[in-house]
Amino acid sequence: MGTLTTLRRSLGHHCLRKSSPSPHISKLFDLSQGSLLNVIVSGSFNLQYQSRRTLILESALSESVKLKRLSDSGIVEVNLDRPETKNAIGKDMLRGLKHAFETIDEDESAKVVLVCSSVPKVFCAGADLKERKMMTPSEVKFTVNKLRSMFSLIEALRIPTIAVIEGAALGGGLEMALSCDLRICGEEAKLGLPETGLAIIPGAGGTQRLPRLVGKSVAKELIFTGRKIGGREAMMMGLVNYCVPASEAHLKALEIAREINQKGPIAIRMAKRAINHGIEIDLASGLELEEECYDQTLHTKDRMEGLAAFAEKRKPRYFGE
């Protein structure tokens, strides 16, 4: 599914659909048994969830991007894993990211996405400049356009996304984090858009998403100077939602993901749509959009389950129906 298709669907009046997973080679790891099984996932394969086991599904999408899923909880992790370049985004990683997020978008069981790094003390150092140096100007333009579309695909996902930032998130790395709904960082994180130091500008959404998040004046200062900021300063200016002690960003992100995961899945999707698209239009139109999104939750089984659980003083059990 291409970016335009995903964006078009995100603007539609509903997001309830059935789909089957894409064929790919996967590894199924059963934590309760400690066994590692290799399976080939076909379009007709249906994963049978086991109520008292935690299963992690790991897909080999590329050499530099790994997809892991806590299959009984709906929390998905996209892990950047290119240690030799500090997770610099090259062609292989770009392909892997696109594949990963398209797979997630087709997975009805996915409820929350964490974008993480498997490389210690680094989130993503930005574009692969060694690879970029070998490109012609037209090739550079094509690559940057693909990167911009990739981040728009992340932003357009129906479900919440959380960037887990430890260490450097620079250039395209920060632009990727900006395309997520929430950002959690460790206090030793370093964030910045240093492109003007290379005589270019942030070209994958940085000049647009950063000012919408921290305000025009602050964004101009950070982009004009290329200054790198620490985690606590990033939190003070609203660039990240939480700054926690170093190495604890993943734990905090999981805490938030699990809290989101307890809520009605359709309600979360509709809330994201109402906020994302409503903020860009006038208030009257935004209120109309809110009404449309509310209507999508009105006749669901989940809403009735929520009312019943409240009356019976128990936790609700939501199935996205």
Side-chain angles (χ1 to χ4, degrees):
M1 177 183 300
T3 301
L4 291 177
T5 303
T6 302
L7 289 172
R8 184 166 57 249
R9 183 175 59 248
S10 73
L11 291 169
H13 293 297
H14 67 279
C15 61
L16 304 178
R17 72 200 194 291
K18 298 294 182 182
S19 59
S20 58
S22 302
H24 53 274
I25 302 297
S26 303
K27 293 179 181 178
L28 191 62
F29 183 60
D30 187 335
L31 291 179
S32 65
Q33 300 296 326
S35 60
L36 183 64
L37 306 173
N38 291 323
V39 298
I40 298 178
V41 181
S42 70
S44 61
F45 178 82
N46 292 315
L47 181 65
Q48 300 297 317
Y49 295 113
Q50 302 181 40
S51 60
R52 296 187 180 181
R53 294 182 180 181
T54 301
L55 302 175
I56 291 181
L57 184 64
E58 180 174 348
S59 302
L61 303 175
S62 79
E63 292 296 322
S64 53
V65 179
K66 302 296 189 300
L67 179 61
K68 298 180 180 180
R69 180 163 65 87
L70 292 173
S71 58
D72 60 345
S73 71
I75 300 172
V76 181
E77 292 185 357
V78 176
N79 275 277
L80 311 181
D81 188 17
R82 198 184 177 203
E84 69 278 8
T85 64
K86 297 183 178 179
N87 287 339
I89 305 173
K91 293 178 181 179
D92 178 72
M93 179 173 283
L94 186 54
R95 284 191 298 269
L97 286 167
K98 185 174 185 292
H99 188 172
F101 284 103
E102 288 180 347
T103 299
I104 292 167
D105 195 41
E106 290 297 321
D107 187 347
E108 286 293 327
S109 68
K111 302 297 189 296
V112 188
V113 183
L114 306 185
V115 183
C116 315
S117 168
S118 299
V119 182
K121 297 183 179 181
V122 64
F123 177 69
C124 175
D128 187 336
L129 296 183
K130 290 183 179 179
E131 189 178 271
R132 189 73 57 85
K133 186 179 179 181
M134 305 303 293
M135 296 180 183
T136 65
S138 62
E139 289 173 332
V140 171
K141 180 177 180 178
F142 178 76
T143 301
V144 173
N145 285 345
K146 287 183 66 176
L147 191 60
R148 189 184 304 113
S149 296
M150 176 65 247
F151 296 159
S152 293
L153 174 61
I154 297 174
E155 187 174 48
L157 279 181
R158 301 166 300 134
I159 60 178
T161 53
I162 305 174
V164 184
I165 305 170
E166 295 282 5
L170 304 173
L174 180 55
E175 289 177 308
M176 176 159 49
L178 290 172
S179 69
C180 294
D181 296 305
L182 306 176
R183 285 152 295 281
I184 315 297
C185 77
E187 59 188 359
E188 294 181 1
K190 291 295 180 184
L191 303 92
L193 295 173
E195 283 87 348
T196 54
L198 297 170
I200 56 174
I201 68 170
T207 65
Q208 302 305 304
R209 293 190 177 98
L210 185 62
R212 283 168 167 77
L213 195 61
V214 303
K216 184 167 65 174
S217 181
V218 173
K220 284 180 177 179
E221 187 258 324
L222 290 177
I223 292 172
F224 292 172
T225 65
R227 183 167 68 90
K228 301 177 182 66
I229 60 173
R232 297 206 174 276
E233 186 177 358
M235 186 178 68
M236 288 177 62
M237 66 174 58
L239 179 52
V240 300
N241 298 82
Y242 292 93
C243 176
V244 297
S247 302
E248 293 185 15
H250 189 263
L251 289 175
K252 183 64 178 178
L254 272 178
E255 176 188 328
I256 295 171
R258 286 166 178 156
E259 188 172 350
I260 293 171
N261 205 37
Q262 295 175 11
K263 308 303 187 288
I266 299 171
I268 293 296
R269 295 175 196 168
M270 291 298 102
K272 176 171 177 173
R273 178 176 171 243
I275 294 167
N276 277 5
H277 301 301
I279 199 69
E280 303 298 337
I281 56 182
D282 63 87
L283 180 59
S285 299
L287 292 173
E288 290 180 5
L289 174 62
E290 181 182 79
E291 181 182 1
E292 292 174 9
C293 292
Y294 188 92
D295 287 347
Q296 292 296 319
T297 69
L298 194 57
H299 302 288
T300 63
K301 293 179 181 179
D302 280 353
R303 187 180 78 88
M304 301 310 296
E305 165 64 12
L307 291 173
F310 178 80
E312 297 165 14
K313 297 181 180 180
R314 61 172 174 81
K315 286 187 177 182
R317 295 181 294 273
Y318 296 126
F319 297 97
E321 300 176 352

